[in-house]
């Protein structure tokens, strides 16, 4: 038989009202009394049904998602998953809104976070720009009691509570192994297209990619990274120029977004040479490019899983509950033309 609040009160020698204050972390309980109640809870093995308690109280969780404003197909997909979560709000007792900030702009992100400090939502999920000022405001908010989850791009070294995204170093290593195996004995140069080295996911993918290339494919030389800022037009210009100036390019790794511009540049050069191309994120554009052989493989993260994971973690942190790490692990998928979902 499961222990009840009556059992806790009897074991601790306190009133039911005192037990209720301790369970709900309300003031008005002396330290020694609080310790007695918490000891009784542990010894009895009492497990509180937080969901039922919140439902009874009609509690909702105001949550904020901060996303970069950019013409980026993956971010559009992430936004669409958040809109789906908003449609589930009544069932999940959430009140979700999104705020867009300029991409790769630490000052803009800091400004939004400072504003949220005054609003006090139950939790914040953010695509992080990895900069000291962003880390400082995140640490300040966490110390002030705000649950914070980084989404897609992490903020390692900060006090953020959880990261909802793939292992980006492993993703970069996987991309290198695929590209090297696809190229076989061919030698030449590899063009790398990134969004910005200001975001940790792009830096980590590059780190994993370069390490495997150096270790296992010494015949392939990596060219200086092209930073397209996840803008299709900038990406198109950079890739088209690189392909025109470097006849030795045999492969391309797109580790960020801007894939529409990449695909356009590749199609323009298709008559000149055969390239092996690995890219990230399965979108309508990269799917079509897989089908017509413009891209050879796509590494994908499930944006819907990431959004749902962020919501679960923020609600758990708001309630002081543990996070089930295995449930929140985001898988890296590899798609070829033959196994498209």
């Amino acid at each position: 038989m499961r222990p009840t609040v009556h059992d806790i009160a009897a074991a601790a020698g306190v009133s039911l009202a005192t037990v209720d204050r301790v369970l709900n972390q309300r003031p008005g309980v002396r330290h020694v009394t609080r310790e007695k109640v918490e000891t009784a809870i542990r010894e009895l093995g009492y497990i509180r049904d937080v969901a039922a308690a919140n439902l009874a109280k009609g509690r909702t969780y105001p949550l904020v998602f901060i996303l970069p404003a950019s013409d980026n197909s993956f971010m559009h997909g992430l936004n669409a998953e958040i809109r789906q979560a908003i449609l589930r709000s009544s069932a999940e007792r959430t009140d979700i809104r999104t705020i867009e900030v300029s991409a790769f702009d630490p000052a803009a992100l800091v400004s939004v976070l400072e504003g949220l400090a005054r609003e006090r939502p139950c939790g914040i999920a953010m695509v992080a720009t990895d900069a000291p000022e962003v880390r400082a405001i995140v640490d300040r908010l966490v110390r002030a009691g705000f649950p914070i989850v980084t989404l897609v791009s992490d903020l390692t070294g900060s006090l953020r509570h959880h990261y909802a995204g793939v292992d980006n170093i492993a993703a970069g290593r996987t991309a290198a192994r695929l590209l090297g195996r696809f190229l076989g004995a061919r030698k030449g140069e590899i063009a790398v297209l990134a969004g910005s080295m200001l975001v940790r996911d792009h830096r980590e993918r590059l780190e994993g990619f370069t390490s495997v290339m150096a270790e296992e494919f010494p015949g392939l030389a990596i060219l200086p990274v092209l930073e397209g800022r996840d803008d299709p037009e900038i990406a198109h210009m950079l890739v088209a120029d690189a392909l025109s100036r470097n006849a030795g390019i045999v492969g391309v790794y797109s580790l960020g977004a801007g894939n529409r511009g990449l695909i356009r540049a590749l199609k323009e050069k298709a008559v000149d040479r055969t390239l092996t191309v690995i890219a990230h994120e399965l979108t309508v554009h990269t799917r079509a490019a897989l089908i017509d052989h413009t891209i050879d493989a796509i590494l994908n993260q499930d944006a819907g899983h990431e959004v749902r994971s962020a919501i679960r973690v923020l609600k758990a942190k708001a309630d002081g509950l543990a996070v089930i790490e295995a449930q929140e692990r985001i898988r890296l998928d590899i798609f070829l033309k033959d196994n498209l979902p």
Side-chain angles (χ1 to χ4, degrees):
M1 185 174 177
R2 292 179 59 181
T4 68
V5 291
H6 295 273
D7 299 321
I8 297 170
V14 299
S15 68
L16 288 173
T18 299
V19 174
D20 181 70
R21 288 192 190 97
V22 173
L23 287 173
N24 289 288
Q25 301 178 351
R26 288 198 291 268
V29 182
R30 290 188 305 157
H31 178 70
V32 64
T33 304
R34 186 178 297 275
E35 284 191 338
K36 285 182 181 179
V37 174
E38 290 174 348
T39 299
I41 290 170
R42 287 194 301 272
E43 291 179 350
L44 290 169
Y46 176 79
I47 299 174
R48 187 184 180 210
D49 189 342
V50 175
N54 286 338
L55 185 61
K57 290 184 290 187
R59 181 184 183 183
T60 59
Y61 298 81
L63 306 176
V64 178
F65 281 78
I66 307 174
L67 305 181
S70 65
D71 189 11
N72 175 328
S73 297
F74 177 73
M75 288 301 164
H76 292 330
L78 194 64
N79 233 320
E81 293 294 344
I82 295 170
R83 289 195 296 273
Q84 287 299 312
I86 292 172
L87 294 177
R88 300 191 299 269
S89 288
S90 59
E92 297 180 352
R93 305 187 312 286
T94 54
D95 179 10
I96 299 171
R97 66 186 177 102
T98 59
I99 299 175
E100 291 193 339
V101 300
S102 298
F104 316 122
D105 186 343
L109 183 53
V110 168
S111 178
V112 168
L113 289 168
E114 287 175 339
L116 291 174
R118 294 186 290 273
E119 294 181 26
R120 300 202 66 84
C122 272
I124 300 168
M126 54 182 276
V127 178
T129 300
D130 192 8
E133 57 268 43
V134 176
R135 194 173 294 106
I137 182 65
V138 166
D139 288 353
R140 179 157 66 85
L141 289 174
V142 170
R143 290 190 182 102
F146 289 83
I148 294 184
V149 168
T150 52
L151 194 65
V152 180
S153 185
D154 200 7
L155 197 60
T156 304
S158 72
L159 297 178
R160 60 94 178 117
H161 293 92
H162 183 77
Y163 163 57
V166 297
D167 180 335
N168 285 296
I169 292 178
R173 293 181 63 86
T174 302
R177 197 168 304 282
L178 286 171
L179 188 58
R181 292 289 183 89
F182 285 173
L183 285 168
R186 290 184 70 186
K187 299 183 185 300
E189 296 171 325
I190 304 299
V192 177
L193 175 65
S196 170
M197 293 295 101
L198 281 174
V199 289
R200 181 169 288 273
D201 59 329
H202 291 194
R203 292 206 309 273
E204 289 183 342
R205 289 174 188 177
L206 181 62
E207 178 186 340
F209 185 79
T210 55
S211 65
V212 170
M213 279 293 174
E215 292 164 8
E216 303 195 27
F217 305 103
L220 299 171
I222 301 174
L223 295 172
V225 176
L226 307 172
E227 292 189 57
R229 300 189 67 81
D230 287 353
D231 183 306
E233 293 305 317
I234 297 174
H236 170 261
M237 178 188 68
L238 291 174
V239 174
D241 181 61
L243 293 177
S244 296
R245 288 187 293 103
N246 297 277
I249 293 177
V250 294
V252 178
Y253 175 39
S254 175
L255 58 79
N259 285 324
R260 280 176 288 158
L262 165 70
I263 291 165
R264 182 151 59 97
L266 293 172
K267 288 181 180 293
E268 290 169 357
K269 294 296 178 182
V271 295
D272 298 337
R273 73 187 88 167
T274 300
L275 297 169
T276 298
V277 182
I278 309 295
H280 280 263
E281 317 314 349
L282 186 64
T283 67
V284 63
H285 306 286
T286 56
R287 174 188 288 272
L290 267 181
I291 291 171
D292 69 15
H293 303 287
T294 303
I295 292 177
D296 295 277
I298 293 291
L299 306 181
N300 188 65
Q301 55 190 319
D302 187 333
H305 187 181
E306 289 171 342
V307 169
R308 293 188 297 274
S309 176
I311 292 170
R312 281 193 299 267
V313 171
L314 290 174
K315 289 172 68 176
K317 291 299 179 183
D319 288 331
L321 300 177
V323 173
I324 304 172
E325 293 295 339
Q327 184 181 20
E328 310 310 338
R329 190 172 298 118
I330 307 299
R331 185 180 63 191
L332 179 70
D333 293 315
I334 302 172
F335 291 116
L336 309 177
K337 176 181 178 179
D338 310 281
N339 69 331
L340 281 171

